[in-house]
Amino acid sequence: MLLGMLLHWIINENSRRYPGMTDGQTIAYISDIGAAELQPLFIAGSVVTTVFLDLSFAAERWLRHNGRLAPNGTTMEKVLAILSIIFALIGTAGLILLSIFDTNNYNRLHNIFLLCFIAGYLLSAIFICWEYGRLGLNNRHFRVLRMSFWMKLTFVVVELCLAIAFAATTFSDLTNVGAILEWVVSLIFTLYAISFYVDLAPAVKTKSRTSRFVKPSAYAMEEGTAPNPLYNNGNSNYHNGGPHYYNGDSRPHPTNF
């Protein structure tokens, strides 16, 4: 969607100035293009992107709950997962509403919803990053958790810095810089949404019930004291660097989950 809007403005419209652009502004914001004839595309793209991202959050929670992914081992991890979903929904509402209430006719509302979108997804990313950090500490043998944690932490740091710079330049005379930053922020957000493939892909290997993780509830878990969910009934042979196995499966688990 973003690439289509950008190419439409550059090629089809010869980088024309939109009514909402300020004096001296030569680079269009996404909102400027989305407030013109491409508004239906802007709305549709916003809905599809955010709904699929929210479905990824929900799928990740469901897969962990059902033993298809490394389960949350503490109540804190579950709380962090739920908070990440709640703030993602706030971000979703912000993006959809800002695409509907365009910058030309509803400038004040548009800016409020823009703030909801950025803040919602940034806070959501912080909570899910926190969750993955805790998961990675309790499941050090799963490289994908560490990789996902660092990907999300990078997104949080980079997007936070860019969002601050975007706000500072947009509400000053540096509107062209602000427009460029908005495009960069949006493209990075798209990559963030795509990155959830890394989190969900390991579930393909746990379709069989014998290959699933033991549910934490089986151990009457307490905060910070739960055994690794792959340890079969707490057998001490699995500790101290020994092999880890799936439920009722004699095969060692792949270490890249």
Side-chain angles (χ1 to χ4, degrees):
M1 177 192 74
L2 290 176
L3 183 59
M5 292 176 69
L6 181 61
L7 291 176
H8 171 79
W9 176 64
I10 294 174
I11 298 174
N12 294 346
E13 301 205 321
N14 297 313
S15 304
R16 76 176 178 91
R17 292 188 76 258
Y18 289 101
M21 296 173 67
T22 61
D23 294 337
Q25 181 185 344
T26 58
I27 301 176
Y29 283 85
I30 297 173
S31 301
D32 293 326
I33 302 174
E37 63 272 9
L38 289 187
Q39 187 175 25
L41 173 64
F42 187 31
I43 295 173
S46 299
V47 171
V48 170
T49 300
T50 53
V51 167
F52 272 95
L53 181 55
D54 290 344
L55 288 175
S56 297
F57 277 86
E60 190 257 1
R61 179 86 281 278
W62 183 85
L63 290 169
R64 293 202 188 285
H65 178 73
N66 287 277
R68 298 286 301 277
L69 295 173
N72 295 121
T74 66
T75 301
M76 182 63 173
E77 289 174 7
K78 293 180 181 179
V79 170
L80 291 171
I82 293 171
L83 286 173
S84 70
I85 293 174
I86 291 172
F87 281 101
L89 291 174
I90 293 174
T92 293
L95 181 56
I96 293 174
L97 289 171
L98 75 84
S99 66
I100 296 172
F101 294 92
D102 62 84
T103 187
N104 290 341
N105 300 310
Y106 310 95
N107 186 260
R108 181 180 173 81
L109 281 175
H110 181 86
N111 290 333
I112 291 173
F113 293 136
L114 177 61
L115 177 61
C116 290
F117 163 60
I118 295 175
Y121 273 111
L122 265 179
L123 288 170
S124 174
I126 289 171
F127 286 122
I128 199 170
C129 183
W130 191 352
E131 177 200 359
Y132 272 67
R134 293 175 63 93
L135 275 169
L137 289 175
N138 296 327
N139 301 274
R140 295 178 184 274
H141 41 286
F142 292 157
R143 293 193 301 269
V144 71
L145 291 173
R146 294 196 302 274
M147 180 173 67
S148 185
F149 167 77
W150 287 110
M151 288 170 61
K152 289 170 176 55
L153 181 61
T154 301
F155 168 80
V156 169
V157 173
V158 172
E159 287 287 74
L160 180 59
C161 294
L162 289 175
I164 293 172
F166 164 71
T169 53
T170 296
F171 297 103
S172 67
D173 294 331
L174 302 174
T175 49
N176 283 329
V177 177
I180 293 172
L181 288 172
E182 185 187 46
W183 285 99
V184 174
V185 166
S186 299
L187 290 171
I188 293 176
F189 174 75
T190 302
L191 295 177
Y192 171 69
I194 295 172
S195 75
F196 278 85
Y197 170 80
V198 175
D199 303 328
L200 302 177
V204 174
K205 299 181 181 179
T206 55
K207 288 183 178 180
S208 171
R209 290 191 176 276
T210 59
S211 300
R212 296 184 182 182
F213 295 85
V214 178
K215 289 186 178 181
S217 57
Y219 300 103
M221 294 178 137
E222 296 180 3
E223 179 74 21
T225 62
N228 188 293
L230 286 181
Y231 295 157
N232 191 355
N233 298 323
N235 190 327
S236 61
N237 292 332
Y238 293 105
H239 292 271
N240 300 321
H244 308 289
Y245 300 102
Y246 290 126
N247 265 357
D249 196 342
S250 60
R251 297 169 299 166
H253 69 73
T255 58
N256 62 343
F257 269 33

